[in-house]
Amino acid sequence: MTLRTYDTETGIDWLAAPRWTPFGGYNVVMARGLTPDELVERLAARAFWGVPAVLEPVVGEYTAEQVADPDLFDADSDVHLRYGAYAGLSFVVMYGAWWGEFKGIGPVSADGAHVFQVTFEEDNGKPVPPFFEYHRDGSPACSFNLHLDGSWGYDGVAGDPEVAAEVTAAMAEAGLPVAGRDGYTGEEDDERTRSTLLGILGRLFDLSLPRERILRGSLPTATLTT
């Protein structure tokens, strides 16, 4: 299988790099049609599975290293959101105990917004595959498992038939098999495969993130707690 190589300094390809957050995985949400503050507020409304989340804006901006400092932030029970805007998108990068705490992002895209999410529980031993979701105006447009292995009940690209067909065609053009088929098990060159897929998604949906600002810069930060 020959994979096309993309520039990992632009778009969202760089999310495929191993352990780029100190929490062994990532949850990144991007939105078109919402301000950064609106995106944070809508995510807060979906947190902790129906238990009202307390949204605590933090005065000032913090680096990823500071958010990981237990003397500054509680990463064991709270969810911390570093957020901003870039290339026409609002974005949120989650830190702390975010896994399993959000009741779906579909409603976040209400009222005409377009919302994209990429998640990966990198240290989960089950293992949980990386996953991509795109919702627009409250409805699912595209979702699939980035390991392309048909596991966890996901086989192929789901969502709006027209959008799913476009993503599947782009996969084939890049040298990837259709998700969940053609004998691909997800065990061959996972990082490069995910980088290729993220490059496809970045181009198709015009997604880009400020890599240096997220990894080494300071960003506004908010905390979700119960």
Side-chain angles (χ1 to χ4, degrees):
M1 178 174 61
T2 301
L3 300 182
R4 184 174 299 167
T5 301
Y6 296 98
D7 181 359
T8 58
E9 296 298 318
T10 61
I12 59 172
D13 309 41
W14 60 272
L15 296 179
R19 301 193 63 84
W20 61 265
T21 72
F23 298 100
Y26 56 83
N27 188 341
V28 179
V29 181
M30 297 158 279
R32 190 170 287 118
L34 298 174
T35 67
D37 287 336
E38 288 172 334
L39 178 56
V40 168
E41 289 170 1
R42 291 192 182 194
L43 287 170
R46 304 301 297 167
F48 306 121
W49 288 84
V51 176
V54 177
L55 176 60
E56 299 178 352
V58 177
V59 177
E61 300 185 354
Y62 289 84
T63 65
E65 184 178 4
Q66 288 172 317
V67 174
D69 184 342
D71 292 330
L72 296 175
F73 292 89
D74 181 358
D76 292 328
S77 58
D78 294 339
V79 177
H80 310 293
L81 312 178
R82 296 177 70 229
Y83 60 96
Y86 181 74
L89 291 168
S90 296
F91 68 87
V92 166
V93 183
M94 300 190 191
Y95 301 81
W98 57 260
W99 38 87
E101 295 291 3
F102 289 82
K103 192 178 179 181
I105 66 163
V108 177
S109 69
D111 304 317
H114 295 248
V115 177
F116 311 84
Q117 182 181 40
V118 185
T119 60
F120 186 25
E121 296 181 36
E122 193 168 2
D123 286 343
N124 191 319
K126 293 181 181 178
V128 180
F131 204 76
F132 172 79
E133 291 187 60
Y134 165 32
H135 295 262
R136 56 188 180 190
D137 199 21
S139 299
C142 178
S143 64
F144 67 97
N145 165 355
L146 271 69
H147 275 172
L148 303 180
D149 59 1
S151 68
W152 290 75
Y154 302 112
D155 186 13
V157 180
D160 179 272
E162 184 176 345
V163 178
E166 187 176 12
V167 173
T168 301
M171 285 182 184
E173 183 182 355
L176 291 166
V178 176
R181 302 203 177 108
D182 299 331
Y184 183 57
T185 65
E187 297 173 357
E188 179 183 336
D189 205 358
D190 283 346
E191 182 183 341
R192 190 176 177 196
T193 297
R194 280 188 285 117
S195 178
T196 300
L197 286 168
L198 291 168
I200 289 169
L201 297 172
R203 293 194 321 281
L204 285 180
F205 302 124
D206 195 19
L207 305 177
S208 193
L209 289 165
R211 181 178 184 270
E212 288 303 308
R213 281 172 58 196
I214 290 173
L215 295 184
R216 281 170 278 278
S218 297
L219 288 168
T221 305
T223 292
L224 301 181
T225 188
T226 53

